[in-house]
Amino acid sequence: MHSTLIGLGLTSPVLAAPMAGGGSTPALVVAAAKAGGLGFVAAGYQSPAALAGQIGQVRASGVPFGVNVFAPNPVPVDRRRYREYADLLRADADRYGVDVSGVEPIEDDDHWADKIDLLLADPVPVVSFTFGLPAARVVTALRAAGTLVVQTVTSAGEARAAAGLGVDLLVVQACAAGGHSGTFTPDRIPPEIPLPRLLGEVGAAVDLPLIAAGGIATPTAVGTALAAGADAVSVGTVLLRSDESGASAPHRDALADTRRRTVVTRAFTGRPARGLRNEFTDRHSAQAPAGYPALHHLTSPIRKAAVAAGDPERVNLWAGTGYHNAAAEPAARILTGLTRRL
Ligand SMILES: Cc1cc2nc3c(=O)[nH]c(=O)nc-3n(C[C@H](O)[C@H](O)[C@H](O)COP(=O)(O)O)c2cc1C
Protein backbone atom coordinates (compact mmCIF):
# COMPACT_ATOMS: atom_id res chain seq x y z
CA MET A 1 0.00 0.00 0.00
CA HIS A 2 1.13 3.58 -0.61
CA SER A 3 2.96 5.26 2.28
CA THR A 4 0.34 8.04 2.41
CA LEU A 5 -2.33 5.46 3.28
CA ILE A 6 -0.07 3.53 5.65
CA GLY A 7 0.64 6.83 7.39
CA LEU A 8 -3.07 7.10 8.17
CA GLY A 9 -2.92 3.75 9.91
CA LEU A 10 -4.67 1.76 7.20
CA THR A 11 -4.06 -1.99 7.01
CA SER A 12 -6.66 -2.74 4.32
CA PRO A 13 -6.84 -1.15 0.85
CA VAL A 14 -10.66 -1.27 0.87
CA LEU A 15 -12.27 2.06 1.78
CA ALA A 16 -15.94 2.84 2.40
CA ALA A 17 -16.96 5.53 -0.10
CA PRO A 18 -18.82 8.64 1.01
CA MET A 19 -22.57 8.37 0.38
CA ALA A 20 -24.60 11.47 1.11
CA GLY A 21 -28.35 11.41 1.56
CA GLY A 22 -28.29 8.86 4.37
CA GLY A 23 -26.11 5.99 3.12
CA SER A 24 -23.02 6.95 5.13
CA THR A 25 -23.58 6.95 8.87
CA PRO A 26 -21.06 7.50 11.68
CA ALA A 27 -21.42 3.76 12.45
CA LEU A 28 -20.45 2.89 8.85
CA VAL A 29 -17.42 5.18 8.97
CA VAL A 30 -16.25 3.61 12.24
CA ALA A 31 -16.88 0.06 10.94
CA ALA A 32 -14.73 0.78 7.86
CA ALA A 33 -11.84 1.95 10.03
CA LYS A 34 -12.17 -1.03 12.36
CA ALA A 35 -11.91 -3.29 9.29
CA GLY A 36 -8.53 -1.64 8.58
CA GLY A 37 -9.76 0.76 5.89
CA LEU A 38 -11.16 4.26 5.99
CA GLY A 39 -14.66 5.69 5.90
CA PHE A 40 -15.99 9.14 5.05
CA VAL A 41 -18.55 11.31 6.74
CA ALA A 42 -20.66 12.61 3.83
CA ALA A 43 -21.16 16.35 4.28
CA GLY A 44 -23.44 16.65 1.24
CA TYR A 45 -27.00 17.94 2.00
CA GLN A 46 -26.19 18.27 5.72
CA SER A 47 -26.32 21.51 7.66
CA PRO A 48 -22.95 22.54 9.12
CA ALA A 49 -24.33 21.77 12.62
CA ALA A 50 -25.43 18.27 11.61
CA LEU A 51 -22.05 17.69 9.98
CA ALA A 52 -20.25 18.79 13.14
CA GLY A 53 -22.41 16.35 15.10
CA GLN A 54 -21.46 13.42 12.83
CA ILE A 55 -17.77 14.35 12.95
CA GLY A 56 -17.99 14.44 16.74
CA GLN A 57 -19.53 10.96 16.86
CA VAL A 58 -16.82 9.44 14.67
CA ARG A 59 -14.03 11.30 16.43
CA ALA A 60 -15.21 9.94 19.79
CA SER A 61 -14.40 6.43 18.59
CA GLY A 62 -10.76 7.39 18.04
CA VAL A 63 -10.40 6.04 14.49
CA PRO A 64 -8.97 7.77 11.38
CA PHE A 65 -11.69 9.06 9.04
CA GLY A 66 -12.42 11.43 6.20
CA VAL A 67 -15.06 14.04 5.44
CA ASN A 68 -16.38 14.39 1.89
CA VAL A 69 -17.66 17.74 0.61
CA PHE A 70 -19.49 18.69 -2.59
CA ALA A 71 -17.36 21.40 -4.25
CA PRO A 72 -19.59 24.05 -5.80
CA ASN A 73 -19.78 23.47 -9.53
CA PRO A 74 -23.32 24.53 -10.33
CA VAL A 75 -24.94 24.24 -13.71
CA PRO A 76 -27.54 27.02 -13.51
CA VAL A 77 -30.73 25.64 -14.95
CA ASP A 78 -32.36 27.14 -18.01
CA ARG A 79 -35.51 28.66 -16.46
CA ARG A 80 -37.82 27.78 -19.34
CA ARG A 81 -36.66 24.17 -19.38
CA TYR A 82 -36.94 24.05 -15.56
CA ARG A 83 -40.57 25.19 -15.79
CA GLU A 84 -41.33 22.65 -18.51
CA TYR A 85 -39.72 19.90 -16.46
CA ALA A 86 -41.68 20.89 -13.36
CA ASP A 87 -44.88 20.55 -15.43
CA LEU A 88 -43.80 17.09 -16.59
CA LEU A 89 -43.36 16.04 -12.94
CA ARG A 90 -46.89 17.05 -11.99
CA ALA A 91 -48.39 13.53 -12.04
CA ASP A 92 -45.61 12.22 -9.74
CA ALA A 93 -45.97 15.24 -7.46
CA ASP A 94 -49.78 15.10 -7.33
CA ARG A 95 -49.67 11.52 -6.17
CA TYR A 96 -48.14 12.81 -2.90
CA GLY A 97 -49.85 16.18 -2.71
CA VAL A 98 -46.59 17.98 -3.57
CA ASP A 99 -46.89 21.28 -5.46
CA VAL A 100 -44.11 21.73 -8.03
CA SER A 101 -45.89 24.23 -10.26
CA GLY A 102 -44.78 27.52 -8.76
CA VAL A 103 -41.46 26.48 -7.22
CA GLU A 104 -38.59 28.82 -8.13
CA PRO A 105 -35.18 27.24 -8.89
CA ILE A 106 -32.82 27.10 -5.90
CA GLU A 107 -29.15 27.52 -6.87
CA ASP A 108 -27.41 27.13 -3.49
CA ASP A 109 -23.89 25.87 -2.66
CA ASP A 110 -24.74 23.43 0.14
CA HIS A 111 -23.18 25.70 2.84
CA TRP A 112 -19.75 25.45 1.20
CA ALA A 113 -17.96 28.24 3.08
CA ASP A 114 -19.33 27.23 6.49
CA LYS A 115 -18.30 23.61 5.94
CA ILE A 116 -14.76 24.61 4.95
CA ASP A 117 -14.56 26.93 7.98
CA LEU A 118 -15.64 24.04 10.19
CA LEU A 119 -12.98 21.73 8.72
CA LEU A 120 -10.28 24.37 9.18
CA ALA A 121 -11.33 25.29 12.71
CA ASP A 122 -11.36 21.68 13.88
CA PRO A 123 -9.23 19.71 11.38
CA VAL A 124 -9.96 16.10 10.46
CA PRO A 125 -7.47 13.53 9.10
CA VAL A 126 -8.78 13.51 5.49
CA VAL A 127 -11.03 15.77 3.40
CA SER A 128 -12.22 14.70 -0.03
CA PHE A 129 -13.96 16.75 -2.70
CA THR A 130 -16.26 15.74 -5.51
CA PHE A 131 -18.21 17.52 -8.29
CA GLY A 132 -15.37 19.97 -8.96
CA LEU A 133 -12.20 21.52 -7.63
CA PRO A 134 -11.99 23.75 -4.58
CA ALA A 135 -9.98 26.97 -4.82
CA ALA A 136 -6.22 26.45 -4.46
CA ARG A 137 -6.21 28.42 -1.20
CA VAL A 138 -8.67 25.91 0.33
CA VAL A 139 -6.35 23.01 -0.52
CA THR A 140 -3.37 24.92 0.85
CA ALA A 141 -5.17 25.82 4.08
CA LEU A 142 -6.41 22.27 4.71
CA ARG A 143 -2.96 20.81 4.11
CA ALA A 144 -1.42 23.42 6.40
CA ALA A 145 -3.90 22.28 9.06
CA GLY A 146 -2.52 18.74 8.74
CA THR A 147 -5.39 17.34 6.66
CA LEU A 148 -4.78 15.04 3.67
CA VAL A 149 -6.70 16.32 0.66
CA VAL A 150 -8.35 13.90 -1.75
CA GLN A 151 -10.00 14.85 -5.04
CA THR A 152 -12.44 12.74 -7.06
CA VAL A 153 -11.70 12.78 -10.80
CA THR A 154 -13.33 11.05 -13.76
CA SER A 155 -10.73 11.67 -16.49
CA ALA A 156 -7.01 12.23 -17.03
CA GLY A 157 -7.66 15.92 -17.69
CA GLU A 158 -9.44 16.36 -14.36
CA ALA A 159 -6.59 14.46 -12.68
CA ARG A 160 -4.02 16.88 -14.10
CA ALA A 161 -6.03 19.86 -12.87
CA ALA A 162 -6.32 18.33 -9.38
CA ALA A 163 -2.60 17.51 -9.28
CA GLY A 164 -1.91 21.14 -10.19
CA LEU A 165 -3.69 22.21 -7.00
CA GLY A 166 -1.38 20.08 -4.86
CA VAL A 167 -3.88 17.49 -3.60
CA ASP A 168 -2.46 14.40 -1.88
CA LEU A 169 -4.54 11.60 -3.41
CA LEU A 170 -7.06 11.06 -6.17
CA VAL A 171 -10.23 9.00 -6.22
CA VAL A 172 -10.52 7.77 -9.82
CA GLN A 173 -14.24 7.27 -10.33
CA ALA A 174 -15.45 5.28 -13.33
CA CYS A 175 -18.94 5.67 -14.73
CA ALA A 176 -19.92 2.27 -13.29
CA ALA A 177 -20.12 4.03 -9.90
CA GLY A 178 -23.37 4.36 -8.02
CA GLY A 179 -24.66 7.84 -7.23
CA HIS A 180 -23.57 11.12 -8.74
CA SER A 181 -20.66 11.26 -11.10
CA GLY A 182 -17.94 13.54 -9.80
CA THR A 183 -17.41 14.92 -13.30
CA PHE A 184 -16.31 18.56 -13.55
CA THR A 185 -18.55 18.93 -16.65
CA PRO A 186 -21.96 17.80 -15.37
CA ASP A 187 -23.83 19.19 -18.36
CA ARG A 188 -22.49 16.15 -20.27
CA ILE A 189 -23.19 12.48 -19.55
CA PRO A 190 -19.73 10.98 -18.83
CA PRO A 191 -18.35 8.47 -21.36
CA GLU A 192 -18.48 4.78 -20.48
CA ILE A 193 -14.79 4.09 -19.79
CA PRO A 194 -14.02 0.84 -17.92
CA LEU A 195 -12.28 1.43 -14.59
CA PRO A 196 -8.98 -0.36 -15.46
CA ARG A 197 -8.60 1.77 -18.61
CA LEU A 198 -9.38 4.97 -16.72
CA LEU A 199 -6.81 4.03 -14.06
CA GLY A 200 -4.22 3.54 -16.79
CA GLU A 201 -5.00 6.93 -18.34
CA VAL A 202 -4.91 8.76 -15.02
CA GLY A 203 -1.78 6.91 -13.86
CA ALA A 204 -0.01 7.97 -17.07
CA ALA A 205 -1.07 11.60 -16.55
CA VAL A 206 -0.19 12.21 -12.88
CA ASP A 207 2.13 10.93 -10.19
CA LEU A 208 -0.26 10.63 -7.24
CA PRO A 209 -1.61 7.68 -5.25
CA LEU A 210 -4.89 6.52 -6.76
CA ILE A 211 -8.04 5.18 -5.09
CA ALA A 212 -10.23 3.32 -7.59
CA ALA A 213 -14.02 3.60 -7.46
CA GLY A 214 -16.93 2.47 -9.55
CA GLY A 215 -18.60 -0.92 -9.80
CA ILE A 216 -16.20 -2.67 -7.39
CA ALA A 217 -18.25 -5.25 -5.51
CA THR A 218 -16.28 -8.54 -5.56
CA PRO A 219 -12.82 -9.70 -4.42
CA THR A 220 -11.93 -10.19 -8.09
CA ALA A 221 -12.86 -6.61 -8.95
CA VAL A 222 -10.70 -5.37 -6.05
CA GLY A 223 -7.75 -7.37 -7.41
CA THR A 224 -8.32 -6.09 -10.95
CA ALA A 225 -8.34 -2.45 -9.80
CA LEU A 226 -5.16 -2.88 -7.77
CA ALA A 227 -3.46 -4.66 -10.70
CA ALA A 228 -4.48 -1.77 -12.97
CA GLY A 229 -2.53 0.71 -10.86
CA ALA A 230 -4.78 1.61 -7.93
CA ASP A 231 -3.23 1.87 -4.46
CA ALA A 232 -6.61 1.30 -2.80
CA VAL A 233 -10.26 0.96 -3.75
CA SER A 234 -13.41 2.69 -2.57
CA VAL A 235 -16.73 0.85 -2.46
CA GLY A 236 -20.16 2.37 -2.02
CA THR A 237 -23.08 0.37 -3.37
CA VAL A 238 -21.90 -2.94 -1.91
CA LEU A 239 -22.33 -1.37 1.56
CA LEU A 240 -25.82 0.08 1.04
CA ARG A 241 -27.61 -2.95 2.51
CA SER A 242 -25.13 -3.35 5.39
CA ASP A 243 -26.33 -3.16 9.00
CA GLU A 244 -24.64 0.24 9.43
CA SER A 245 -26.01 1.82 6.23
CA GLY A 246 -28.58 4.56 6.54
CA ALA A 247 -30.19 3.75 3.17
CA SER A 248 -33.98 3.85 3.19
CA ALA A 249 -36.10 0.69 3.24
CA PRO A 250 -37.30 1.12 -0.39
CA HIS A 251 -33.68 1.60 -1.51
CA ARG A 252 -32.45 -1.52 0.35
CA ASP A 253 -35.32 -3.61 -0.94
CA ALA A 254 -34.83 -2.48 -4.55
CA LEU A 255 -31.12 -3.37 -4.35
CA ALA A 256 -32.14 -6.90 -3.42
CA ASP A 257 -34.24 -7.17 -6.60
CA THR A 258 -31.72 -8.49 -9.13
CA ARG A 259 -34.11 -8.03 -12.08
CA ARG A 260 -33.52 -4.28 -12.13
CA ARG A 261 -30.78 -2.68 -14.23
CA THR A 262 -28.82 0.51 -13.57
CA VAL A 263 -29.00 3.67 -15.70
CA VAL A 264 -27.20 7.00 -15.70
CA THR A 265 -29.80 9.73 -15.32
CA ARG A 266 -30.13 13.38 -14.40
CA ALA A 267 -33.89 13.05 -13.88
CA PHE A 268 -33.63 13.36 -10.08
CA THR A 269 -31.01 16.06 -9.58
CA GLY A 270 -29.90 17.58 -12.89
CA ARG A 271 -26.40 16.03 -12.47
CA PRO A 272 -25.57 12.63 -14.04
CA ALA A 273 -25.94 9.82 -11.50
CA ARG A 274 -26.23 6.05 -11.73
CA GLY A 275 -29.18 4.35 -10.11
CA LEU A 276 -31.61 1.50 -10.51
CA ARG A 277 -34.14 1.92 -13.27
CA ASN A 278 -37.62 2.69 -12.07
CA GLU A 279 -40.76 4.41 -13.38
CA PHE A 280 -39.27 7.84 -12.68
CA THR A 281 -36.06 7.22 -14.66
CA ASP A 282 -37.98 5.56 -17.50
CA ARG A 283 -40.39 8.48 -17.76
CA HIS A 284 -38.12 11.45 -17.11
CA SER A 285 -34.50 10.65 -18.03
CA ALA A 286 -34.91 11.90 -21.60
CA GLN A 287 -36.85 15.00 -20.47
CA ALA A 288 -34.65 16.30 -17.65
CA PRO A 289 -32.49 19.33 -18.39
CA ALA A 290 -29.02 19.72 -16.87
CA GLY A 291 -29.25 21.83 -13.72
CA TYR A 292 -27.76 20.86 -10.37
CA PRO A 293 -28.73 21.74 -7.69
CA ALA A 294 -32.01 23.23 -8.99
CA LEU A 295 -33.45 19.87 -10.04
CA HIS A 296 -32.28 18.24 -6.81
CA HIS A 297 -34.37 20.75 -4.84
CA LEU A 298 -37.31 20.45 -7.24
CA THR A 299 -37.65 16.66 -6.94
CA SER A 300 -36.62 16.36 -3.27
CA PRO A 301 -40.17 16.64 -1.78
CA ILE A 302 -41.47 13.99 -4.22
CA ARG A 303 -38.62 11.63 -3.34
CA LYS A 304 -39.07 12.15 0.41
CA ALA A 305 -42.80 11.46 0.16
CA ALA A 306 -42.14 8.35 -1.94
CA VAL A 307 -39.67 7.01 0.65
CA ALA A 308 -42.22 7.61 3.41
CA ALA A 309 -44.86 5.77 1.37
CA GLY A 310 -42.50 2.86 0.59
CA ASP A 311 -42.73 3.59 -3.14
CA PRO A 312 -39.44 2.71 -4.93
CA GLU A 313 -40.69 4.00 -8.29
CA ARG A 314 -40.22 7.66 -7.40
CA VAL A 315 -37.03 7.41 -5.30
CA ASN A 316 -33.45 7.94 -6.51
CA LEU A 317 -32.22 4.36 -6.00
CA TRP A 318 -28.52 5.14 -6.44
CA ALA A 319 -26.60 1.98 -7.34
CA GLY A 320 -23.42 1.02 -9.15
CA THR A 321 -23.22 -1.76 -11.70
CA GLY A 322 -22.22 -4.31 -9.03
CA TYR A 323 -25.37 -3.76 -6.98
CA HIS A 324 -26.47 -7.40 -7.02
CA ASN A 325 -23.49 -8.18 -4.75
CA ALA A 326 -24.78 -5.88 -2.00
CA ALA A 327 -25.58 -8.12 0.97
CA ALA A 328 -27.46 -7.45 4.20
CA GLU A 329 -24.52 -8.09 6.54
CA PRO A 330 -22.30 -6.20 8.97
CA ALA A 331 -20.13 -3.74 7.01
CA ALA A 332 -16.92 -5.18 8.48
CA ARG A 333 -17.75 -8.60 7.06
CA ILE A 334 -18.43 -7.11 3.61
CA LEU A 335 -15.21 -5.09 3.65
CA THR A 336 -12.94 -7.87 4.88
CA GLY A 337 -14.61 -10.30 2.43
CA LEU A 338 -13.53 -8.03 -0.41
CA THR A 339 -9.86 -8.49 0.57
CA ARG A 340 -10.14 -12.30 0.36
CA ARG A 341 -8.14 -12.71 -2.85
CA LEU A 342 -5.29 -10.31 -1.93
C1 LIG B 1 -26.06 6.31 -2.39
C2 LIG B 1 -24.78 6.93 -2.85
C3 LIG B 1 -24.45 8.21 -2.42
C4 LIG B 1 -23.24 8.80 -2.84
N1 LIG B 1 -22.88 10.01 -2.34
C5 LIG B 1 -21.64 10.50 -2.60
C6 LIG B 1 -21.16 11.67 -1.94
O1 LIG B 1 -21.84 12.26 -1.10
N2 LIG B 1 -19.92 12.11 -2.25
C7 LIG B 1 -19.11 11.46 -3.15
O2 LIG B 1 -17.99 11.89 -3.38
N3 LIG B 1 -19.54 10.35 -3.78
C8 LIG B 1 -20.77 9.86 -3.51
N4 LIG B 1 -21.17 8.68 -4.09
C9 LIG B 1 -20.21 7.97 -4.96
C10 LIG B 1 -19.33 7.08 -4.08
O3 LIG B 1 -18.51 7.85 -3.25
C11 LIG B 1 -18.44 6.15 -4.92
O4 LIG B 1 -17.71 6.86 -5.88
C12 LIG B 1 -19.27 5.07 -5.59
O5 LIG B 1 -20.21 4.54 -4.68
C13 LIG B 1 -18.38 3.96 -6.08
O6 LIG B 1 -19.06 3.09 -6.94
P1 LIG B 1 -19.91 1.83 -6.39
O7 LIG B 1 -21.16 2.42 -5.83
O8 LIG B 1 -20.16 1.03 -7.63
O9 LIG B 1 -19.09 1.13 -5.37
C14 LIG B 1 -22.38 8.08 -3.71
C15 LIG B 1 -22.73 6.80 -4.14
C16 LIG B 1 -23.90 6.21 -3.72
C17 LIG B 1 -24.23 4.82 -4.18
Side-chain angles (χ1 to χ4, degrees):
M1 216 185 328
H2 195 276
S3 56
T4 308
L5 296 167
I6 294 171
L8 276 172
L10 272 62
T11 54
S12 164
V14 183
L15 281 52
M19 293 188 283
S24 293
T25 60
L28 183 60
V29 178
V30 172
K34 293 212 163 137
L38 187 79
F40 288 82
V41 173
Y45 317 127
Q46 297 209 60
S47 68
L51 171 61
Q54 288 208 346
I55 291 173
Q57 282 183 57
V58 176
R59 194 175 261 143
S61 69
V63 298
F65 65 98
V67 175
N68 172 261
V69 190
F70 294 164
N73 183 359
V75 176
V77 75
D78 176 286
R79 290 183 81 89
R80 185 182 55 80
R81 295 205 62 197
Y82 173 89
R83 252 317 119 252
E84 285 168 3
Y85 191 55
D87 283 344
L88 291 165
L89 297 181
R90 197 164 291 163
D92 300 281
D94 283 351
R95 183 184 278 252
Y96 295 113
V98 173
D99 181 13
V100 283
S101 56
V103 182
E104 286 296 310
I106 299 173
E107 305 278 11
D108 67 345
D109 68 359
D110 201 32
H111 309 283
W112 167 254
D114 289 345
K115 287 176 182 174
I116 297 301
D117 286 350
L118 179 78
L119 294 168
L120 288 173
D122 199 1
V124 299
V126 179
V127 169
S128 72
F129 295 107
T130 189
F131 293 2
L133 295 173
R137 68 186 137 71
V138 171
V139 176
T140 307
L142 286 168
R143 296 188 78 236
T147 298
L148 278 179
V149 178
V150 181
Q151 177 67 45
T152 295
V153 298
T154 65
S155 69
E158 291 176 1
R160 273 189 221 100
L165 282 186
V167 305
D168 298 285
L169 294 131
L170 298 180
V171 168
V172 179
Q173 187 198 46
C175 76
H180 283 124
S181 165
T183 176
F184 299 179
T185 49
D187 45 342
R188 279 182 256 149
I189 301 286
E192 304 251 341
I193 302 175
L195 179 58
R197 198 178 108 202
L198 186 61
L199 285 165
E201 290 174 9
V202 171
V206 298
D207 188 17
L208 282 174
L210 307 180
I211 302 167
I216 299 173
T218 62
T220 304
V222 173
T224 302
L226 296 180
D231 297 282
V233 303
S234 177
V235 298
T237 301
V238 77
L239 295 168
L240 279 173
R241 295 181 65 221
S242 69
D243 298 352
E244 293 86 349
S245 159
S248 68
H251 196 173
R252 285 171 182 272
D253 292 348
L255 288 162
D257 176 357
T258 51
R259 288 164 309 178
R260 291 189 191 259
R261 288 284 168 273
T262 65
V263 287
V264 175
T265 183
R266 53 182 183 223
F268 292 109
T269 67
R271 171 177 262 275
R274 187 177 290 279
L276 298 175
R277 255 184 84 173
N278 60 10
E279 286 176 27
F280 198 93
T281 64
D282 282 357
R283 202 173 309 138
H284 300 305
S285 290
Q287 303 167 335
Y292 182 91
L295 263 59
H296 158 73
H297 291 296
L298 176 67
T299 67
S300 174
I302 302 173
R303 293 182 277 131
K304 283 196 180 126
V307 167
D311 166 15
E313 300 305 327
R314 267 149 287 273
V315 177
N316 51 316
L317 305 168
W318 293 158
T321 54
Y323 81 91
H324 46 274
N325 292 294
E329 288 181 353
R333 195 183 303 160
I334 296 169
L335 292 165
T336 48
L338 287 171
T339 64
R340 215 169 43 231
R341 297 259 166 84
L342 302 181

